[in-house]
Amino acid sequence: MRRIETIRKIADLGIVAVVRTESKEQGIKIVDAIKNGGIKAIEITMTVPGALDIINEISETYKNEDILIGAGTVLDPESARACMLAGAQYIISPNLNIETLKICNRYRIPSFPGVMTVKEALEAMEYGAEILKLFPGSAFGPSIIKAFKGPLPYANFMPTGGVDIDNVKDWFEAGAVAIATGSNLTKGAKSGNYELVTETAKKFVEEVAKYKK
Ligand SMILES: O=C[C@H](O)COP(=O)(O)O
């Protein structure tokens, strides 16, 4: 999928599932449960042991399905390139690293860097970032998006960190283009309850659909 189509699709879907867990086996089960719940953009974070193997494996497993596999917690350009080679279709970072943006631009892969300030948001946009990961969203609350959009009306924010079913509405009403959610989505996995992960994913999809018409 071309870069612009991936960005458009994530903006249209409005939700990215974040997979952060303790083992490769659990990671793959979580991905499966999330997919069964209908979330179509799934980010494997680099803190998961064997994260690149997971990306590689699920990219192959779901190659004929309508699923966008990305890499998260990508801190530097070296990791970004490794993720791309493993099959990641987009790169998400908690931080703003210009070299990561540059390598993603070089290979025409979307990069969604983490930003906390207007300075970082503007710099990320100047280096071609179309969607900005507002992180950690829980430290600001939804009103920050309205505040940022004063000087930066065309910035696209994807709040991450502390997003739950109960605050999805507030984030979209404040102007978020998408949300990303991890621990609240996948909490069932801690006790091996992958059905709960699927049910939670379904609830997120239903909730997000109210604001993505
Ligand atoms: O980088 C993404 C975050 O770890 C996700 O935060 P969360 O688990 O609070 O949703």
Side-chain angles (χ1 to χ4, degrees):
M1 188 178 284
R2 289 173 58 216
R3 169 190 168 103
I4 194 165
E5 290 163 351
T6 305
I7 294 166
R8 168 52 57 202
K9 189 155 181 196
I10 288 180
D12 287 347
L13 291 169
I15 178 166
V16 174
V18 180
V19 178
R20 192 184 298 287
T21 187
E22 283 159 22
S23 74
K24 180 185 163 189
E25 293 67 31
Q26 199 180 34
I28 287 175
K29 285 184 190 164
I30 292 173
V31 169
D32 204 44
I34 290 168
K35 184 195 89 79
N36 291 339
I39 299 181
K40 293 174 185 284
I42 305 177
E43 165 199 340
I44 312 302
T45 57
M46 288 302 103
T47 56
V48 181
L52 292 177
D53 292 341
I54 299 178
I55 291 173
N56 204 306
E57 195 171 318
I58 61 178
S59 298
E60 183 59 27
T61 308
Y62 302 130
K63 69 179 176 207
N64 296 322
E65 296 193 41
D66 190 19
I67 300 290
L68 285 177
I69 307 293
T73 319
V74 178
L75 303 180
D76 46 49
E78 295 82 4
S79 311
R81 184 64 184 138
C83 292
M84 289 176 215
L85 291 170
Q89 293 168 268
Y90 52 97
I91 301 294
I92 303 184
S93 309
N95 59 322
L96 173 62
N97 178 303
I98 298 305
E99 293 306 316
T100 300
L101 278 166
K102 281 163 75 172
I103 203 165
C104 288
N105 288 338
R106 186 174 306 141
Y107 291 99
R108 314 313 297 152
I109 294 283
S111 173
F112 309 144
V115 301
M116 283 184 83
T117 63
V118 169
K119 180 179 187 289
E120 288 180 338
L122 188 57
E123 197 171 5
M125 288 162 68
E126 286 170 352
Y127 279 91
E130 297 289 349
I131 296 177
L132 309 172
K133 168 174 169 160
L134 182 63
F135 183 78
S138 53
F140 299 105
S143 63
I144 193 72
I145 294 190
K146 278 188 185 154
F148 276 177
K149 275 183 169 277
L152 303 175
Y154 9 76
N156 296 309
F157 291 104
M158 180 173 72
T160 310
V163 176
D164 200 356
I165 299 277
D166 298 334
N167 59 30
V168 163
K169 176 177 190 284
D170 299 334
W171 284 112
F172 279 111
E173 286 184 351
V177 70
I179 53 97
T181 177
S183 45
N184 287 316
L185 167 66
T186 63
K187 55 179 177 258
K190 275 199 167 31
S191 56
N193 188 348
Y194 295 98
E195 281 174 20
L196 178 59
V197 177
T198 298
E199 288 313 308
T200 310
K202 282 182 188 165
K203 286 185 189 156
F204 267 106
V205 170
E206 275 170 26
E207 185 64 15
V208 169
K210 293 179 190 166
Y211 310 98
K212 283 279 151 191
K213 302 222 165 72

